[in-house]
Amino acid sequence: MPHGGEDQVAALYWEAFGRKLAPALGPPEKGRAFIAAHLHHDRGVVALAGDRVTGVAGYRLGGRALTGGGVRDVLSAYGLFRGLPRLAALALFERAPAPDELVMDGIAVDATHRGQGVGSLLLAEIVAVAVHHGCRRVRLDVIDTNPRARALYERHGFTAHRTERTPYLRGLMGFGAVTTMRRPVTTADATDERKAR
Ligand SMILES: CC(C)(COP(=O)(O)OP(=O)(O)OC[C@H]1O[C@@H](n2cnc3c(N)ncnc32)[C@H](O)[C@@H]1OP(=O)(O)O)[C@@H](O)C(=O)NCCC(=O)NCCS
């Protein structure tokens, strides 16, 4: 992810995941600013139209994810009383990768650019990153209220691995189940990645 697009990436993330992130990082202006200030540029791929970021996909690898900000950052941005419940909400989104696994933890395409293949390009790039790092699998989570994203992942070779019911999150975040999907990294992916380089 190039430097300079932090605010745009944060805006895309908030537009796509604001409902989920608000209990942890809201209100929106503050949440977007927190995300923009703590991005790890080496853990995301973006689609660009000129200087404009039209899509982003973040991933977690080696204990590091696109969206950063540790305990100290949350507490210094939100204060102790407000910060502690936020840390509890953020802990819900922790997704530790297994060894040799890359976890994609957020893909978002600008609403005016959807349906044009940008999401597919970002997914292909995520697989290329997994190949580059010698991973043997890509994993992601999709919520039950997002069948369009799930269909996209299935078209790209991901299959459902397990579904966790989360009725306690329906009121707070709007979804009642999370499905983990996985896709093996194949020799064909490795060949594609070599050709692209
Ligand atoms: C999910 C998301 C990232 C997909 O991005 P996208 O750029 O629209 O993805 P694509 O264009 O590659 O594919 C999606 C659709 O466009 C179609 N499409 C692909 N290439 C196309 C092209 N060149 N022209 C027209 N349509 C195309 C696909 O068939 C697919 O159709 P469908 O979903 O209507 O059945 C995007 O919808 C998004 O940001 N959603 C909000 C955030 C979100 O839900 N993220 C996922 C969380 S798990």
Side-chain angles (χ1 to χ4, degrees), residues 16-17 107-109 113-121 141-143 146 148-149 152-153 155:
F17 308 117
I107 182 169
V109 172
H113 288 81
R114 287 184 195 155
Q116 296 170 19
V118 175
S120 299
L121 281 175
D141 285 341
V142 64
I143 55 179
N146 203 347
R148 197 178 165 202
L152 176 68
Y153 301 146
R155 281 201 293 275

mmCIF file of all heavy atoms in Angstrom, residues 16-17 107-109 113-121 141-143 146 148-149 152-153 155, ligand 1:
data_model
loop_
_atom_site.group_PDB
_atom_site.id
_atom_site.type_symbol
_atom_site.label_atom_id
_atom_site.label_comp_id
_atom_site.label_asym_id
_atom_site.label_seq_id
_atom_site.Cartn_x
_atom_site.Cartn_y
_atom_site.Cartn_z
ATOM 1 N N ALA A 16 -17.198 0.400 4.669
ATOM 2 C CA ALA A 16 -17.525 -1.030 4.567
ATOM 3 C C ALA A 16 -17.767 -1.668 5.945
ATOM 4 O O ALA A 16 -18.653 -2.509 6.100
ATOM 5 C CB ALA A 16 -16.387 -1.767 3.851
ATOM 6 N N PHE A 17 -16.979 -1.288 6.934
ATOM 7 C CA PHE A 17 -17.003 -2.023 8.206
ATOM 8 C C PHE A 17 -17.371 -1.150 9.401
ATOM 9 O O PHE A 17 -17.209 -1.566 10.547
ATOM 10 C CB PHE A 17 -15.633 -2.678 8.461
ATOM 11 C CG PHE A 17 -15.169 -3.508 7.304
ATOM 12 C CD1 PHE A 17 -14.011 -3.171 6.619
ATOM 13 C CD2 PHE A 17 -15.898 -4.603 6.870
ATOM 14 C CE1 PHE A 17 -13.573 -3.916 5.528
ATOM 15 C CE2 PHE A 17 -15.469 -5.361 5.787
ATOM 16 C CZ PHE A 17 -14.313 -5.020 5.116
ATOM 17 N N ILE A 107 -11.759 -6.503 2.917
ATOM 18 C CA ILE A 107 -11.659 -6.065 1.521
ATOM 19 C C ILE A 107 -12.805 -5.087 1.293
ATOM 20 O O ILE A 107 -13.936 -5.327 1.721
ATOM 21 C CB ILE A 107 -11.699 -7.269 0.538
ATOM 22 C CG1 ILE A 107 -11.550 -6.798 -0.915
ATOM 23 C CG2 ILE A 107 -12.949 -8.105 0.701
ATOM 24 C CD1 ILE A 107 -11.309 -7.930 -1.915
ATOM 25 N N ALA A 108 -12.511 -3.984 0.650
ATOM 26 C CA ALA A 108 -13.547 -2.975 0.412
ATOM 27 C C ALA A 108 -13.257 -2.250 -0.894
ATOM 28 O O ALA A 108 -12.114 -1.859 -1.158
ATOM 29 C CB ALA A 108 -13.572 -1.973 1.558
ATOM 30 N N VAL A 109 -14.289 -2.119 -1.713
ATOM 31 C CA VAL A 109 -14.170 -1.405 -2.986
ATOM 32 C C VAL A 109 -15.114 -0.210 -2.922
ATOM 33 O O VAL A 109 -16.247 -0.326 -2.421
ATOM 34 C CB VAL A 109 -14.513 -2.351 -4.168
ATOM 35 C CG1 VAL A 109 -14.595 -1.578 -5.480
ATOM 36 C CG2 VAL A 109 -13.458 -3.455 -4.280
ATOM 37 N N HIS A 113 -17.236 1.974 -7.822
ATOM 38 C CA HIS A 113 -16.367 1.116 -8.656
ATOM 39 C C HIS A 113 -16.680 -0.370 -8.505
ATOM 40 O O HIS A 113 -15.946 -1.215 -9.018
ATOM 41 C CB HIS A 113 -14.889 1.355 -8.309
ATOM 42 C CG HIS A 113 -14.380 2.674 -8.793
ATOM 43 N ND1 HIS A 113 -14.594 3.844 -8.111
ATOM 44 C CD2 HIS A 113 -13.683 3.005 -9.907
ATOM 45 C CE1 HIS A 113 -14.036 4.850 -8.786
ATOM 46 N NE2 HIS A 113 -13.484 4.360 -9.877
ATOM 47 N N ARG A 114 -17.740 -0.691 -7.794
ATOM 48 C CA ARG A 114 -18.042 -2.124 -7.585
ATOM 49 C C ARG A 114 -18.593 -2.738 -8.869
ATOM 50 O O ARG A 114 -19.116 -2.043 -9.720
ATOM 51 C CB ARG A 114 -19.068 -2.279 -6.448
ATOM 52 C CG ARG A 114 -18.413 -2.001 -5.113
ATOM 53 C CD ARG A 114 -19.350 -2.234 -3.955
ATOM 54 N NE ARG A 114 -18.767 -1.619 -2.762
ATOM 55 C CZ ARG A 114 -19.429 -1.202 -1.708
ATOM 56 N NH1 ARG A 114 -20.744 -1.359 -1.652
ATOM 57 N NH2 ARG A 114 -18.817 -0.652 -0.700
ATOM 58 N N GLY A 115 -18.473 -4.052 -8.957
ATOM 59 C CA GLY A 115 -19.023 -4.771 -10.116
ATOM 60 C C GLY A 115 -18.177 -4.606 -11.370
ATOM 61 O O GLY A 115 -18.609 -4.893 -12.470
ATOM 62 N N GLN A 116 -16.950 -4.118 -11.222
ATOM 63 C CA GLN A 116 -16.083 -3.927 -12.396
ATOM 64 C C GLN A 116 -14.829 -4.791 -12.306
ATOM 65 O O GLN A 116 -13.879 -4.589 -13.048
ATOM 66 C CB GLN A 116 -15.673 -2.449 -12.489
ATOM 67 C CG GLN A 116 -16.843 -1.525 -12.729
ATOM 68 C CD GLN A 116 -16.457 -0.050 -12.584
ATOM 69 O OE1 GLN A 116 -15.275 0.302 -12.645
ATOM 70 N NE2 GLN A 116 -17.438 0.796 -12.406
ATOM 71 N N GLY A 117 -14.815 -5.703 -11.371
ATOM 72 C CA GLY A 117 -13.673 -6.609 -11.285
ATOM 73 C C GLY A 117 -12.578 -6.166 -10.332
ATOM 74 O O GLY A 117 -11.549 -6.841 -10.206
ATOM 75 N N VAL A 118 -12.757 -5.023 -9.640
ATOM 76 C CA VAL A 118 -11.711 -4.539 -8.729
ATOM 77 C C VAL A 118 -11.523 -5.511 -7.557
ATOM 78 O O VAL A 118 -10.397 -5.884 -7.212
ATOM 79 C CB VAL A 118 -12.041 -3.112 -8.202
ATOM 80 C CG1 VAL A 118 -11.012 -2.670 -7.158
ATOM 81 C CG2 VAL A 118 -12.091 -2.121 -9.346
ATOM 82 N N GLY A 119 -12.645 -5.960 -6.977
ATOM 83 C CA GLY A 119 -12.561 -6.910 -5.864
ATOM 84 C C GLY A 119 -11.843 -8.189 -6.295
ATOM 85 O O GLY A 119 -11.019 -8.736 -5.552
ATOM 86 N N SER A 120 -12.127 -8.656 -7.512
ATOM 87 C CA SER A 120 -11.469 -9.872 -8.015
ATOM 88 C C SER A 120 -9.965 -9.654 -8.156
ATOM 89 O O SER A 120 -9.173 -10.540 -7.817
ATOM 90 C CB SER A 120 -12.054 -10.263 -9.378
ATOM 91 O OG SER A 120 -13.426 -10.520 -9.247
ATOM 92 N N LEU A 121 -9.591 -8.475 -8.654
ATOM 93 C CA LEU A 121 -8.154 -8.179 -8.799
ATOM 94 C C LEU A 121 -7.471 -8.167 -7.428
ATOM 95 O O LEU A 121 -6.365 -8.692 -7.273
ATOM 96 C CB LEU A 121 -7.958 -6.804 -9.443
ATOM 97 C CG LEU A 121 -8.123 -6.715 -10.953
ATOM 98 C CD1 LEU A 121 -8.014 -5.266 -11.414
ATOM 99 C CD2 LEU A 121 -7.046 -7.554 -11.647
ATOM 100 N N ASP A 141 -12.882 -14.417 6.799
ATOM 101 C CA ASP A 141 -14.185 -14.561 7.446
ATOM 102 C C ASP A 141 -15.217 -13.763 6.671
ATOM 103 O O ASP A 141 -14.922 -12.664 6.204
ATOM 104 C CB ASP A 141 -14.143 -13.998 8.869
ATOM 105 C CG ASP A 141 -13.403 -14.907 9.831
ATOM 106 O OD1 ASP A 141 -13.245 -16.102 9.506
ATOM 107 O OD2 ASP A 141 -12.972 -14.411 10.879
ATOM 108 N N VAL A 142 -16.426 -14.312 6.567
ATOM 109 C CA VAL A 142 -17.511 -13.557 5.933
ATOM 110 C C VAL A 142 -18.762 -13.681 6.800
ATOM 111 O O VAL A 142 -19.024 -14.747 7.368
ATOM 112 C CB VAL A 142 -17.737 -14.020 4.461
ATOM 113 C CG1 VAL A 142 -18.201 -15.453 4.362
ATOM 114 C CG2 VAL A 142 -18.690 -13.091 3.727
ATOM 115 N N ILE A 143 -19.501 -12.583 6.931
ATOM 116 C CA ILE A 143 -20.682 -12.609 7.808
ATOM 117 C C ILE A 143 -21.923 -13.042 7.023
ATOM 118 O O ILE A 143 -21.972 -12.911 5.794
ATOM 119 C CB ILE A 143 -20.899 -11.237 8.496
ATOM 120 C CG1 ILE A 143 -20.975 -10.109 7.462
ATOM 121 C CG2 ILE A 143 -19.787 -10.968 9.494
ATOM 122 C CD1 ILE A 143 -21.216 -8.732 8.085
ATOM 123 N N ASN A 146 -23.787 -11.007 4.203
ATOM 124 C CA ASN A 146 -23.047 -10.543 3.025
ATOM 125 C C ASN A 146 -22.916 -11.647 1.966
ATOM 126 O O ASN A 146 -21.811 -12.065 1.620
ATOM 127 C CB ASN A 146 -21.660 -10.039 3.453
ATOM 128 C CG ASN A 146 -21.072 -9.074 2.444
ATOM 129 O OD1 ASN A 146 -21.570 -8.953 1.325
ATOM 130 N ND2 ASN A 146 -20.012 -8.389 2.819
ATOM 131 N N ARG A 148 -23.216 -11.579 -1.161
ATOM 132 C CA ARG A 148 -22.545 -11.176 -2.397
ATOM 133 C C ARG A 148 -21.030 -11.376 -2.264
ATOM 134 O O ARG A 148 -20.367 -11.888 -3.177
ATOM 135 C CB ARG A 148 -22.876 -9.709 -2.687
ATOM 136 C CG ARG A 148 -22.567 -9.360 -4.087
ATOM 137 C CD ARG A 148 -22.919 -7.952 -4.454
ATOM 138 N NE ARG A 148 -22.242 -7.659 -5.702
ATOM 139 C CZ ARG A 148 -21.953 -6.458 -6.129
ATOM 140 N NH1 ARG A 148 -22.294 -5.413 -5.421
ATOM 141 N NH2 ARG A 148 -21.339 -6.302 -7.269
ATOM 142 N N ALA A 149 -20.513 -10.984 -1.112
ATOM 143 C CA ALA A 149 -19.076 -11.186 -0.888
ATOM 144 C C ALA A 149 -18.773 -12.679 -0.846
ATOM 145 O O ALA A 149 -17.794 -13.147 -1.426
ATOM 146 C CB ALA A 149 -18.642 -10.515 0.407
ATOM 147 N N LEU A 152 -18.583 -14.093 -4.255
ATOM 148 C CA LEU A 152 -17.320 -13.684 -4.893
ATOM 149 C C LEU A 152 -16.177 -14.593 -4.427
ATOM 150 O O LEU A 152 -15.386 -15.092 -5.228
ATOM 151 C CB LEU A 152 -17.023 -12.217 -4.538
ATOM 152 C CG LEU A 152 -15.709 -11.641 -5.036
ATOM 153 C CD1 LEU A 152 -15.708 -11.505 -6.562
ATOM 154 C CD2 LEU A 152 -15.436 -10.263 -4.411
ATOM 155 N N TYR A 153 -16.107 -14.843 -3.117
ATOM 156 C CA TYR A 153 -15.036 -15.696 -2.589
ATOM 157 C C TYR A 153 -15.155 -17.117 -3.156
ATOM 158 O O TYR A 153 -14.148 -17.746 -3.485
ATOM 159 C CB TYR A 153 -15.089 -15.745 -1.053
ATOM 160 C CG TYR A 153 -14.944 -14.394 -0.388
ATOM 161 C CD1 TYR A 153 -15.611 -14.105 0.798
ATOM 162 C CD2 TYR A 153 -14.138 -13.407 -0.940
ATOM 163 C CE1 TYR A 153 -15.481 -12.866 1.412
ATOM 164 C CE2 TYR A 153 -14.010 -12.163 -0.331
ATOM 165 C CZ TYR A 153 -14.679 -11.901 0.834
ATOM 166 O OH TYR A 153 -14.550 -10.680 1.432
ATOM 167 N N ARG A 155 -16.389 -17.982 -6.019
ATOM 168 C CA ARG A 155 -15.919 -17.949 -7.411
ATOM 169 C C ARG A 155 -14.393 -17.954 -7.482
ATOM 170 O O ARG A 155 -13.815 -18.343 -8.489
ATOM 171 C CB ARG A 155 -16.444 -16.698 -8.122
ATOM 172 C CG ARG A 155 -17.890 -16.811 -8.585
ATOM 173 C CD ARG A 155 -18.188 -15.803 -9.689
ATOM 174 N NE ARG A 155 -18.139 -14.438 -9.228
ATOM 175 C CZ ARG A 155 -19.144 -13.801 -8.656
ATOM 176 N NH1 ARG A 155 -20.282 -14.413 -8.480
ATOM 177 N NH2 ARG A 155 -19.016 -12.552 -8.274
HETATM 178 C C1 LIG B 1 -17.386 -7.417 -1.810
HETATM 179 C C2 LIG B 1 -16.686 -6.363 -2.666
HETATM 180 C C3 LIG B 1 -15.287 -6.124 -2.131
HETATM 181 C C4 LIG B 1 -16.580 -6.879 -4.108
HETATM 182 O O1 LIG B 1 -15.869 -5.940 -4.896
HETATM 183 P P1 LIG B 1 -16.202 -5.727 -6.458
HETATM 184 O O2 LIG B 1 -15.152 -4.831 -7.010
HETATM 185 O O3 LIG B 1 -17.594 -5.317 -6.622
HETATM 186 O O4 LIG B 1 -15.960 -7.216 -6.983
HETATM 187 P P2 LIG B 1 -15.986 -7.744 -8.497
HETATM 188 O O5 LIG B 1 -16.409 -6.635 -9.396
HETATM 189 O O6 LIG B 1 -14.692 -8.397 -8.757
HETATM 190 O O7 LIG B 1 -17.063 -8.884 -8.469
HETATM 191 C C5 LIG B 1 -18.302 -8.608 -7.907
HETATM 192 C C6 LIG B 1 -19.412 -8.600 -8.928
HETATM 193 O O8 LIG B 1 -19.117 -7.914 -10.138
HETATM 194 C C7 LIG B 1 -19.211 -8.804 -11.265
HETATM 195 N N1 LIG B 1 -18.115 -8.427 -12.132
HETATM 196 C C8 LIG B 1 -16.848 -8.832 -12.089
HETATM 197 N N2 LIG B 1 -16.132 -8.267 -13.056
HETATM 198 C C9 LIG B 1 -16.977 -7.441 -13.728
HETATM 199 C C10 LIG B 1 -16.835 -6.575 -14.832
HETATM 200 N N3 LIG B 1 -15.654 -6.426 -15.475
HETATM 201 N N4 LIG B 1 -17.904 -5.854 -15.244
HETATM 202 C C11 LIG B 1 -19.094 -6.009 -14.612
HETATM 203 N N5 LIG B 1 -19.278 -6.833 -13.566
HETATM 204 C C12 LIG B 1 -18.243 -7.539 -13.121
HETATM 205 C C13 LIG B 1 -19.083 -10.145 -10.683
HETATM 206 O O9 LIG B 1 -19.669 -11.144 -11.466
HETATM 207 C C14 LIG B 1 -19.804 -9.949 -9.360
HETATM 208 O O10 LIG B 1 -21.205 -9.976 -9.558
HETATM 209 P P3 LIG B 1 -22.284 -10.097 -8.381
HETATM 210 O O11 LIG B 1 -21.589 -9.906 -7.074
HETATM 211 O O12 LIG B 1 -23.251 -9.003 -8.669
HETATM 212 O O13 LIG B 1 -22.851 -11.462 -8.542
HETATM 213 C C15 LIG B 1 -17.482 -5.024 -2.712
HETATM 214 O O14 LIG B 1 -18.802 -5.308 -3.054
HETATM 215 C C16 LIG B 1 -17.474 -4.260 -1.383
HETATM 216 O O15 LIG B 1 -16.585 -3.456 -1.108
HETATM 217 N N6 LIG B 1 -18.480 -4.499 -0.565
HETATM 218 C C17 LIG B 1 -18.584 -3.813 0.740
HETATM 219 C C18 LIG B 1 -17.542 -4.323 1.720
HETATM 220 C C19 LIG B 1 -17.649 -5.829 1.926
HETATM 221 O O16 LIG B 1 -18.730 -6.375 2.007
HETATM 222 N N7 LIG B 1 -16.474 -6.484 2.020
HETATM 223 C C20 LIG B 1 -16.404 -7.911 2.240
HETATM 224 C C21 LIG B 1 -16.399 -8.249 3.684
HETATM 225 S S1 LIG B 1 -16.287 -9.989 3.943
#
